[in-house]
Amino acid sequence: MQELGQLADLPESYRADLAAQNLVPLWPSLRSVLPPGTPVRRTRPICWPYAALRPLLMRAGELTPIEKAERRVLVLANPGHGLEKMQASSSIYLGMQLLLPGEWAPSHRHTPNAVRMIVEGEGAYTTVDGEKCLMSRGDLILTPTGLWHEHGHDGDQPVVWLDVLDLPLVYYLEASYVTEGKAQAVTRDAGERAYQRGGVVPSPVFVRADKSYPMLRYPWSEVRAALLTLAADQPGIEAVQVAYVNPETGGDCLNILGFSALMLRPGETLTLPARSPAMVMHQIEGDSEIRVEDQRFLLAPADTCCAPGYVPVTLANRSATLPAFVFLADETPLHKKLGIYEVRP
Ligand code: GTQ
């Protein structure tokens, strides 16, 4: 590839004249914005072990009352982007949120999409668009763009969940903002019950719902059962994996980030090919080993890690007798919409 001219090759007075007109020569920067073959990635493979994070989150519970936090969250920040950027990858934000018994995180809605993966504790709930979604370990709850949501807790132990948002992307688009609201009345029936059986959807008098987000809570008990059934029925299947979809369309459940659950059979090692989107992995149950570039993470339940795009990711079940269950979040829907999605052999 041709070596290009540097900024220093240009006379200083010419550079000053350009800057005075808000002009920049492309050629000194061309190779950094369009590198040959593989993009520049700031996203580094990083692991956030829950055992290290949890005491710091509980300490936040002592130090900062919910009224002073609104959302009591420790952000899982990728140092490759700079901690202050609060990014796990270019488009993914991750936070661990703590709600203590009796606390309430007030109603608001915002442009970024969020999901919550429940990590520990019982008795909390999120009300989304008038639907009260109970939180249990492993449940996935959607709070799509523009929908009101608030969190409450009627139990007697701390509740922790993992927030996954497309906040870095929406912020970059200069489209990120919030609207405060009043406590919501519960007005919407549980989508997870209406759509509980695969292959059939509610169709009153032949009219299908046109809701963009018909299902907001994906109970772990159902997803786990689906994975176990798939593994038992199709022993030859390449990967025991299910995607969280919109049951009306079969498409991705949200527009920007994609979500799936993976079961690693006892002793299984699975290598995902290099794909363009960055990815987040969260251990729901069991113990896994994740290999990304020169990193090797041993995940225990509630541990979270991430991988940049364009590199293969190997996941191995560390148990020879028990299945391991991993929640995956990635940027696939975004890459597909933009036409930049790639899988490399
Ligand atoms: O629970 O609504 O981690 O608005 C970041 C922003 C959680 C939330 C986050 C939010 C929320």
Side-chain angles (χ1 to χ4, degrees):
M1 198 169 252
Q2 181 88 30
E3 182 118 352
L4 300 178
Q6 304 289 302
L7 209 52
D9 302 339
L10 298 170
E12 206 157 310
S13 63
Y14 176 68
R15 281 152 55 188
D17 290 347
L18 289 176
Q21 298 304 321
N22 299 315
L23 296 169
V24 175
L26 172 62
W27 58 96
S29 306
L30 185 61
R31 298 280 187 252
S32 70
V33 292
L34 286 173
T38 302
V40 176
R41 282 140 305 149
R42 292 204 170 78
T43 303
R44 280 193 225 147
I46 297 291
C47 185
W48 295 271
Y50 194 59
L53 186 164
R54 190 183 187 280
L56 295 168
L57 187 57
M58 295 302 151
R59 186 91 173 102
E62 295 159 10
L63 292 170
T64 307
I66 192 71
E67 296 74 25
K68 288 284 169 198
E70 229 167 83
R71 300 297 194 258
R72 192 192 289 110
V73 176
L74 294 181
V75 179
L76 284 55
N78 194 313
H81 289 272
L83 297 180
E84 73 290 350
K85 290 281 172 58
M86 301 197 297
Q87 293 178 227
S89 74
S90 66
S91 306
I92 304 177
Y93 157 103
L94 297 175
M96 279 287 180
Q97 182 160 172
L98 169 66
L99 201 62
L100 294 170
E103 287 185 339
W104 189 64
S107 191
H108 71 190
R109 61 183 190 175
H110 41 68
T111 45
N113 295 274
V115 305
R116 337 228 164 252
M117 164 54 52
I118 315 312
V119 174
E120 72 163 81
E122 295 289 333
Y125 60 89
T126 291
T127 304
V128 187
D129 193 30
E131 180 178 329
K132 186 172 179 175
C133 301
L134 300 182
M135 295 172 144
S136 245
R137 171 68 183 142
D139 292 350
L140 186 75
I141 298 171
L142 311 185
T143 50
T145 178
L147 299 194
W148 293 107
H149 56 282
E150 63 201 73
H151 317 304
H153 189 356
D154 298 332
D156 56 10
Q157 296 296 317
V159 165
V160 177
W161 63 83
L162 177 68
D163 291 314
V164 186
L165 279 78
D166 50 24
L167 175 63
L169 175 75
V170 180
Y171 183 78
Y172 175 76
L173 296 174
E174 302 186 341
S176 178
Y177 71 95
V178 70
T179 309
E180 313 242 307
K182 296 196 202 76
Q184 300 169 71
V186 175
T187 55
R188 179 168 157 158
D189 294 331
E192 87 230 27
R193 293 195 57 77
Y195 292 92
Q196 193 167 22
R197 307 284 173 208
V200 288
V201 298
S203 175
V205 203
F206 308 116
V207 178
R208 294 269 298 273
D210 58 3
K211 275 211 179 98
S212 304
Y213 307 104
M215 188 161 157
L216 298 173
R217 175 172 181 252
Y218 297 73
W220 174 236
S221 56
E222 298 288 333
V223 178
R224 190 181 193 280
L227 288 166
L228 287 168
T229 302
L230 191 57
D233 282 1
Q234 300 189 33
I237 200 170
E238 200 179 359
V240 184
Q241 187 172 12
V242 292
Y244 293 89
V245 300
N246 175 333
E248 286 287 346
T249 64
D252 300 307
C253 64
L254 290 179
N255 284 326
I256 295 176
L257 301 182
F259 307 96
S260 63
L262 176 70
M263 174 178 146
L264 295 166
R265 290 160 282 200
E268 179 175 359
T269 297
L270 178 71
T271 296
L272 307 178
R275 302 178 319 130
S276 52
M279 188 167 73
V280 166
M281 289 150 274
H282 173 80
Q283 189 79 33
I284 299 181
E285 244 183 85
D287 298 296
S288 303
E289 179 185 326
I290 312 285
R291 292 195 291 272
V292 190
E293 298 183 305
D294 59 351
Q295 297 293 309
R296 181 171 159 270
F297 304 129
L298 297 178
L299 296 194
D303 290 353
T304 307
C305 69
C306 71
Y310 299 90
V311 292
V313 176
T314 298
L315 303 101
N317 186 344
R318 290 197 276 148
S319 168
T321 52
L322 298 170
F325 295 95
V326 182
F327 169 65
L328 305 175
D330 76 6
E331 302 162 339
T332 296
L334 175 65
H335 278 222
K336 289 193 169 163
K337 288 192 174 83
L338 296 177
I340 60 170
Y341 183 78
E342 267 185 65
V343 183
R344 295 194 168 180

